[in-house]
Amino acid sequence: MIDLNLITYMNEELRRTPTQFRRYMYDDILWEDRMVGIVGPRGVGKSTMVKQHILHQGDKERWLYVSADNSFFYNNSLISLADEWIKENGSHIVIDEVHKYKGWSQELKQIYDTHPQLQIIFTGSSVLDIHQGVADLSRRALMFSMQGMSFREFLNMEKQIEIPVYSLKDILNHEVSVPLDFHPLPYFREYIRRGYYPFSSQPGYGIRLQQVMIQTLEVDIPQYAGMNVATSRKLARLLSILSGQAPYKPNMSRLSVELSVSKNDLPDYLGYLEKAGLIGLLRDETGGLRGLGKVEKVFVDNPNLMYALQGVETNIGNVRETFFYNQMRVKNDVVAAKTTDFRIGDNVFEVGGAKKGQKQLDNNPYGIVVRDDIEQGFGNVVPLWQFGLNY
């Protein structure tokens, strides 16, 4: 028999789940697949989204929602829970924060193979790499990766201003349509400081954001990578160094000296920070496939983190580049360009303030000037804020 405390916990969690706003990923997920995994950085709304999905079901009594850090699992396994839920005529089980359960991948595989009538949905840290060491699960689970909120989502959730998603082509062709008397710049300035995470409207946003970083550095990454405390401190030091210079081309030799680590370990450290949603790595085109090229620039992941790490010293020029890369990477393959800031397909982009000129584009017919502090674009000049409408 299912522990009634789990049912009580689920009902309370569902009762407190907001339903007015759903993240961009909601309609992209193939919810009907037998095993669905949703990964992403801490705080981007994965838990809320899966609970919203349960609330939209007509047969909620056949659904079970649990968190993998529930004290129930001190003396019970995921496998035994699934066995009991099947006996109760359950058909769906949602496991939140699955990475907090030791041996989660092996047990999910066994549940999948033993109970073909049971659907499994799980969420986990973006640090998890289910394609490494757990190949059997990677062939079974349909995985989705979730990022923080776009500027468009922030306007919808926080300001009740509804604007549809616009493709990159729409944006470059000046086809963005907004409500009458909508002036985006004050909202945009607010967003880059406190709008990327869905908990931005809650009190103590800065404190919560610091806690996200601490938990990611001290718990998520070390747990995944088997690091000791000293190594996790070096990761924190690395993030601090990067935040003061990003975006910039990493000097591996200098970083290895500053951190007192082997130069050969630094690519792994950067990879952990990228997976965890703390930095972004802009690569060149040599990899052929997305994310496989040589790292040309290191960014702090999003402008909110930049302000959390640097405060009043945050450079607005760096913020602009970070915003562009952060927003456009979700739907586009963004790579480094030779003479401009970014390349997406045939187009190259130079990002700057309201007076940013055309010089660096060198008459490139596919060159785009991305300007901050303007409401509308013209010709090959496009407002920076509009690139936040891409998802």
Side-chain angles (χ1 to χ4, degrees):
M1 184 175 178
I2 290 292
D3 188 328
L4 291 180
N5 289 325
L6 292 180
I7 303 298
T8 301
Y9 170 79
M10 176 180 70
N11 290 337
E12 181 61 22
E13 285 292 307
L14 294 178
R15 186 185 68 81
R16 294 185 298 176
T17 299
T19 57
Q20 298 87 350
F21 172 79
R22 297 193 302 197
R23 291 298 317 281
Y24 77 100
M25 282 292 299
Y26 190 93
D27 292 328
D28 295 337
I29 293 173
L30 300 178
W31 293 106
E32 68 278 7
D33 200 75
R34 270 197 63 203
M35 181 180 284
V36 175
I38 304 167
V39 297
R42 276 183 178 263
V44 297
K46 304 181 296 296
S47 300
T48 297
M49 188 170 66
V50 294
K51 287 182 282 190
Q52 287 175 335
H53 179 62
I54 297 173
L55 287 171
H56 280 80
Q57 306 310 307
D59 55 348
K60 289 191 289 293
E61 66 278 0
R62 301 191 69 191
W63 287 74
L64 179 64
Y65 168 88
V66 296
S67 179
D69 62 354
N70 193 295
S71 59
F72 170 84
F73 293 110
Y74 294 169
N75 300 305
N76 297 275
S77 67
L78 285 172
I79 292 173
S80 64
L81 178 64
D83 292 342
E84 289 300 318
W85 188 235
I86 286 292
K87 294 175 184 176
E88 297 290 333
N89 200 33
S91 57
H92 307 267
I93 186 166
V94 178
I95 307 159
D96 205 2
E97 298 191 287
V98 73
H99 58 280
K100 295 184 178 180
Y101 182 95
K102 188 176 181 179
W104 61 272
S105 59
Q106 292 83 2
E107 293 202 26
L108 289 189
K109 173 186 176 296
Q110 185 169 332
I111 294 169
Y112 181 95
D113 293 341
T114 306
H115 300 298
Q117 70 275 47
L118 181 66
Q119 188 202 29
I120 307 159
I121 298 174
F122 64 89
T123 74
S125 166
S126 54
V127 182
L128 295 179
D129 185 353
I130 70 162
H131 299 286
Q132 179 178 329
V134 284
D136 286 337
L137 184 58
S138 70
R139 289 194 294 267
R140 290 164 172 80
L142 196 59
M143 298 298 298
F144 297 88
S145 181
M146 187 172 174
Q147 298 297 322
M149 291 207 301
S150 66
F151 179 49
R152 184 193 71 84
E153 290 183 292
F154 168 77
L155 291 172
N156 189 338
M157 187 180 83
E158 290 287 316
K159 309 300 179 183
Q160 291 72 55
I161 299 172
E162 295 193 16
I163 298 176
V165 172
Y166 286 98
S167 68
L168 177 59
K169 181 179 178 182
D170 295 334
I171 295 169
L172 298 184
N173 289 337
H174 305 296
E175 295 177 3
V176 170
S177 178
V178 298
L180 291 175
D181 299 321
F182 171 66
H183 298 287
L185 299 182
Y187 299 121
F188 181 67
R189 296 187 191 105
E190 180 181 354
Y191 168 81
I192 61 175
R193 286 171 171 79
R194 48 158 302 276
Y196 186 67
Y197 297 89
F199 55 84
S200 60
S201 61
Q202 299 179 25
Y205 180 68
I207 297 174
R208 294 175 189 274
L209 193 49
Q210 291 287 341
Q211 291 173 341
V212 164
M213 288 189 285
I214 291 170
Q215 289 295 307
T216 301
L217 289 167
E218 295 184 357
V219 179
D220 294 350
I221 297 177
Q223 186 179 51
Y224 165 73
M227 292 179 175
N228 56 34
V229 174
T231 307
S232 67
R233 286 174 181 164
K234 289 180 180 179
L235 278 182
R237 171 64 178 153
L238 175 59
L239 179 62
S240 177
I241 293 171
L242 296 175
S243 69
Q245 304 176 52
Y248 85 115
K249 185 176 178 66
N251 184 317
M252 295 300 188
S253 297
R254 185 179 303 168
L255 283 174
S256 67
V257 172
E258 288 196 56
L259 294 172
S260 300
V261 299
S262 168
K263 183 179 175 181
N264 295 330
D265 290 334
L266 280 172
D268 288 338
Y269 287 8
L270 292 173
Y272 294 146
L273 291 175
E274 181 185 36
K275 282 178 176 292
L278 295 178
I279 65 171
L281 301 178
L282 180 67
R283 295 170 171 86
D284 64 17
E285 299 173 293
T286 60
L289 295 172
R290 185 174 184 174
L292 295 182
K294 180 182 176 183
V295 174
E296 287 294 322
K297 277 187 180 181
V298 179
F299 291 80
V300 174
D301 183 76
N302 62 79
N304 287 194
L305 285 180
M306 294 182 73
Y307 281 103
L309 289 163
Q310 290 293 304
V312 295
E313 297 180 3
T314 305
N315 181 281
I316 187 60
N318 294 344
V319 169
R320 290 164 179 154
E321 286 189 41
T322 299
F323 169 81
F324 181 92
Y325 177 56
N326 170 270
Q327 298 284 282
M328 297 311 296
R329 68 183 180 184
V330 174
K331 295 288 186 180
N332 307 274
D333 192 3
V334 186
V335 296
K338 292 182 179 179
T339 59
T340 59
D341 292 323
F342 305 99
R343 174 184 293 276
I344 303 175
D346 292 330
N347 292 108
V348 293
F349 299 83
E350 188 66 20
V351 181
K355 297 182 180 180
K356 186 67 179 180
Q358 306 272 348
K359 183 178 179 180
Q360 286 172 283
L361 297 179
D362 194 28
N363 296 317
N364 187 323
Y366 298 104
I368 305 295
V369 177
V370 181
R371 291 182 183 171
D372 194 7
D373 298 320
I374 63 172
E375 287 193 347
Q376 298 179 351
F378 53 91
N380 73 330
V381 176
V382 182
L384 178 62
W385 66 268
Q386 290 190 2
F387 291 93
L389 309 179
N390 194 223
Y391 71 93

